Amino acid sequence: MTHARSIAPLIALVGPTGIGKTSLSLEIARRFSAEIVGLDSMQIYRYMDIGTAKPTREERAQAPHHLIDFVDPDEDYTAGRYVSDATAVLADIHGRGHLPLLVGGAGMYLQSLLSGLFGGRAGLELPEMEALRQGLKKRLEDGGRERLYLELQGCDPATAARIHPNDSQRLVRALEIFYATGIPWSEHLARHQEKGGQDKRNILKIGLYCERDELYRRIDQRVELMISAGLIAEVRTLLDMGYDQDLKSMQSIGYRHMINYITSRWTRDEAQRLLARDTRRYAKRQYTWFLRDPDIFWFTHAEMGSLFKKVEDFLR
């Protein structure tokens, strides 16, 4: 099908950690002359290669890569900064007549980029979003509905006026949006309406999917490979370089587990077991995030022919 676009095309390849996005992205880039733009909240960091499953130098030589390996581990990097950086990169790629391919599992980064969620506290990463949501739910369960509703009246009176004080789901969602982005839900809706809604013709969102048991097997195998490839030594090097173990980057999945082993809090077997467990839990949260988006077309590894056909049709 052929259709006119008001702005240049963009493809996003998303899915949980460990599912095989890197190898597929290289094939898409090869077939369609695309440039890969990182959509990952950890692969942005320098010196953190093994634990972030960053594309290798050989893989990065196969296609241009952007927004990978460019931030020091002690820098504070937010979704707001990602939006700014990614917008500039996309403009450059489009300006050269090339196709950008966003690749990663940072759902909040993608949402922020596509929906324009700007603000002083624009966007928390997915684990932080989950912590924020659970904290609000805990306060709700502890009998704080009235207090939460008063908070919403203070930060977003327009939304408070249109939802019932007993609508717990929307109450938590409204506060979550405000505390995550610094912008009231009502303002997000107004901005979206002003833009006439998201122009879905200019972006193709592809999700990579596999059965849970297969994904968990892949994750367990990845953890073994990371440790055998030198993850412990990578973490020791970061500590020796002076990066504090309490940094946000150093407390991410993989790095905090190896720190707990290095500091003798856990045995090596415990660190590996808990790393695999926490990675599986993270993958489940990523799936939950992306499955809320009805515009994602999902494919399994056995459906690559259909996936490439989808891309071809989109680019016609």
Side-chain angles (χ1 to χ4, degrees), residues 51-106:
T52 64
K54 193 179 296 177
T56 64
R57 290 182 183 276
E58 292 75 20
E59 288 170 330
R60 278 182 269 174
Q62 295 179 41
H65 282 68
H66 308 269
L67 300 189
I68 292 175
D69 206 30
F70 70 106
V71 177
D72 286 336
D74 56 357
E75 288 186 60
D76 184 26
Y77 196 88
T78 65
R81 182 174 166 189
Y82 177 82
V83 169
S84 177
D85 291 342
T87 299
V89 167
L90 295 177
D92 175 63
I93 295 172
H94 281 142
R96 289 183 280 105
H98 292 179
L99 173 68
L101 172 62
L102 291 162
V103 180

Side-chain angles (χ1 to χ4, degrees), residues 34-314:
E35 298 191 22
I36 295 171
V37 181
L39 184 66
D40 190 287
S41 62
M42 286 302 300
Q43 291 183 357
I44 60 173
Y45 292 114
R46 299 185 183 98
Y47 322 122
M48 306 179 87
D49 302 332
I50 299 171
T52 64
K54 193 179 296 177
T56 64
R57 290 182 183 276
E58 292 75 20
E59 288 170 330
R60 278 182 269 174
Q62 295 179 41
H65 282 68
H66 308 269
L67 300 189
I68 292 175
D69 206 30
F70 70 106
V71 177
D72 286 336
D74 56 357
E75 288 186 60
D76 184 26
Y77 196 88
T78 65
R81 182 174 166 189
Y82 177 82
V83 169
S84 177
D85 291 342
T87 299
V89 167
L90 295 177
D92 175 63
I93 295 172
H94 281 142
R96 289 183 280 105
H98 292 179
L99 173 68
L101 172 62
L102 291 162
V103 180
M108 190 64 189
Y109 279 16
L110 181 62
Q111 179 179 312
S112 298
L113 180 61
L114 299 183
S115 302
L117 304 188
F118 297 93
R121 290 176 289 176
L124 300 178
E125 297 164 20
L126 185 57
E128 294 170 305
M129 286 291 289
E130 183 68 17
L132 172 59
R133 184 177 304 116
Q134 293 305 320
L136 288 168
K137 287 182 177 178
K138 179 66 166 59
R139 291 177 59 195
L140 189 70
E141 291 168 1
D142 291 343
R145 180 183 285 112
E146 184 176 346
R147 182 173 295 178
L148 289 179
Y149 190 74
L150 287 173
E151 282 184 32
L152 184 61
Q153 287 179 317
C155 65
D156 188 357
T159 297
R162 68 180 177 83
I163 68 173
H164 193 279
N166 292 332
D167 189 342
S168 301
Q169 184 174 355
R170 284 192 173 88
L171 176 59
V172 168
R173 178 61 175 156
L175 288 171
E176 175 190 337
I177 289 173
F178 177 75
Y179 289 132
T181 69
I183 300 173
W185 192 1
S186 55
E187 186 174 338
H188 286 305
L189 292 174
R191 292 182 182 186
H192 187 70
Q193 290 169 356
E194 286 175 6
K195 294 176 183 178
Q198 176 68 34
D199 181 2
K200 297 174 184 176
R201 296 174 303 168
N202 68 313
I203 177 165
L204 173 64
K205 288 185 270 190
I206 296 171
L208 196 53
Y209 171 84
C210 70
E211 294 296 330
R212 183 179 64 179
D213 289 347
E214 170 63 14
L215 177 60
Y216 287 1
R217 184 194 65 77
R218 294 174 68 99
I219 287 172
D220 290 345
Q221 183 179 53
R222 169 185 273 197
V223 168
E224 290 180 6
L225 289 173
M226 282 180 172
I227 292 177
S228 64
L231 177 57
I232 296 171
E234 180 172 274
V235 177
R236 288 188 191 276
T237 298
L238 286 160
L239 293 170
D240 291 343
M241 291 173 71
Y243 292 111
D244 193 278
Q245 66 181 35
D246 292 324
L247 285 171
K248 181 173 145 184
S249 60
M250 296 288 278
Q251 283 299 305
S252 61
I253 291 178
Y255 292 89
R256 70 170 181 269
H257 296 79
M258 295 306 107
I259 287 171
N260 281 333
Y261 164 64
I262 291 169
T263 56
S264 301
R265 295 189 186 100
W266 296 343
T267 65
R268 178 170 171 152
D269 286 345
E270 282 178 314
Q272 179 169 335
R273 177 179 62 82
L274 293 171
L275 171 52
R277 181 202 69 181
D278 292 344
T279 305
R280 291 193 295 267
R281 290 177 176 177
Y282 179 58
K284 183 179 179 181
R285 294 197 299 271
Q286 287 177 303
Y287 260 142
T288 299
W289 178 282
F290 288 121
L291 287 172
R292 294 186 301 182
D293 187 342
D295 297 324
I296 295 177
F297 294 90
W298 292 95
F299 298 89
T300 67
H301 288 281
E303 299 172 320
M304 292 298 98
S306 298
L307 186 154
F308 296 137
K309 180 65 164 55
K310 189 72 180 176
V311 175
E312 289 172 1
D313 290 345
F314 169 73

